[in-house]
Amino acid sequence: MEMPTAERVHEAIFAVFDDLNEDRAPDQQLPKSSQTLLFDKEGKLDSLAFVTFVISLEGEIQQRFGKTVTLANEQAMKRVESPFRSVQTLGDYIVELLDSD
Amino acid sequence: MNINALNGVLLADFTIDPLAARLSNGNEFPAAPCEVAPFDQVLPILMNPSHPVWQEKNFAVIWSRPERVSPAFQAILNLESPRTESIVGDVDAYCDLILATAGRVEATFVPTFTMPSFHRGLGALSTRPALGAAYWLNAMNSRLMERLSSAANVFVLDANQWVQTIGTAASNPKLWLMGKLLFPPELLRLAASDVKSTIRALCGLSKKLLILDLDETMWGGIVGEVGWQGVSLGGHDAFGESFVDFQKSIKALTRTGVILGIVSKNDESVALEAIESHPDMVLRKSDFAGWRINWRDKATNIAELVEELNLGLDAAVFIDDNPAERARVRESLPNVFVPEWPEDKLLYSKALKELRCFDRVSITKEDLSRTEMYVAERQRNETRSSALSMDDWLASLELKLQVELLNEGNIKRATQLLNKTNQMNLKTRRFTEEEFIHWAELPGNAVYCFRVLDRFGDYGLTGIASISANGDAGIIEDFLLSCRVMGRGVERGMLHVVLNALSQSGVLKTTVQFIKTDRNKPMLDYLVTESELMASQDSGVFEWNHSKAYEIPVHVSLELDDDVRLQMGSLTSPVAQ
């Protein structure tokens, strides 16, 4: 199993991007950058794509790091700054979840 | 169905947008743009043929959960005591609504009912008729398949196969609770692939020819080095058995109309001896329509073999264990489909069975005997080289042309031929079975189907000509012939039949208008050689004035069935009415 560093977690996020991009139109592709906005006012994901993304990412993390995480939980929703705003914030949040496990 | 102008509608009682995205944007051909109908409105929209979602659509996907189709099934899931007798009636009502869509779109796809894999119900009691969800799910699916099989343009797709392929990830309650998504994207991709492969089959784009390498593909080892006695095939080891399994899977494909060829770098005599002599070979020489076994470039050999078999490169699939050979063929012949192939020989049969490129929407009598037809063709060509002249050879064939009208017995094959013939095709019109029958029944119209036989065998239904009579003016609308019988006088025999039918119905002048496509130059070349037809001033238009009979070649004998005899001279033209 891989060690869950920020870099490795970003790689997991980008692997899910690759998967989702297969079904997205050319102008809707998710760029593999830590600055990519996800579920935000200017984010790339609508609510349906967000659900698919979050659940696919939970599976990817389980596969890569051997740990089960629940990304969309009450704690995440209560945060002042949403962890789902960008790749960067989401990566930080996942590392935090994996470290606290 | 025009594969370049697909426009579909998806009806579901769960979120199906990812399927629409996959159909529209996925890399797999064809792109099939579609509209997602309002959520959970399946039955109201099915009941309303004038609903806007039906406008200008040529295909539909209708996908419901079993508990939405049948309240009694929902009661079973709730472990209540339902009136199970109403379940079949609920499915019938659902099927009736789906069958009504057959006239609104050219193709309707209906996935079977599924249940989430974690839904264990009552354990062993799930298979009992009284309360068993598994029992009733099977019953609902059986009924669905049985009822919908009555429509030629409604296709039930096996959703359980997609669920099995994905495994436990096929059912995730979080997807449902957070987004009303019944399935993950990877399952919907399998669904999209099955919809697309069926559309390709409907448009006549199923692959027809499987070309195989020999060493390490059909058997283990190099036959030129170890002899046929030394190759790994059959016996009591996993690898030997896997090659036998693979050959059995290939043999099964031939029963759907796929023909086989060999392209292998080998000494021909050594390789053919192995094919004929090895006791565990499933495929023998008589299973192959042709081969190129030599030391030349495989791409060149494939191109030659495909041409010899009168097929297009886009009809061919090439399987080879060697990645370098696969890359070479892909690069030289991009129209030939060269699937990636597993390194592990134990997975060959699985890899073949997973290919969708051979999918069919029907299997006709001609499909079942296609290999025999090609073997007979090889024998014909052998006699051709020994005949003194072309006329001698044609006379030696004892060609017979059997003519029948389009009818229930030949509609499947006729539609298949209409939709897949490209080269010898006057206008390349494409019809569904329903559309073709409807056209044939219009006043003044007739569709003739031609079966060709000779002393070597039966080619089956290989030609179609359709005509329209309007007062003293006639039109040949469709004129198409399988490449396998081109150039033997059959074309002229067909013209003789249809021009004679138009003459007897009072037609004085018949027009034959050629519509050019990328691939039907052989048709134009033929029309130009028929010097008795007058080329009009308009490009591609030919005429026949019926002042004399259009003679059939002496080496072709004609057999008209009773319906054709009765119909001759009685085409009901709109002007005459």
Side-chain angles (χ1 to χ4, degrees), chain A residues 19 22-23 25 48 52 55 58, chain B residues 21-22 25 172 174 185 189:
Chain A
D19 198 40
E22 274 192 40
D23 297 342
L48 181 61
T52 310
I55 290 168
E58 287 178 354
Chain B
R22 187 67 179 183
N25 301 324
N172 187 333
K174 291 172 78 167
R189 284 176 195 159

Side-chain angles (χ1 to χ4, degrees), chain B residues 2-18:
Chain B
N2 182 350
I3 202 152
N4 296 313
L6 296 171
N7 189 17
V9 56
L10 310 188
L11 279 76
D13 47 30
F14 53 91
T15 305
I16 202 165
D17 302 57

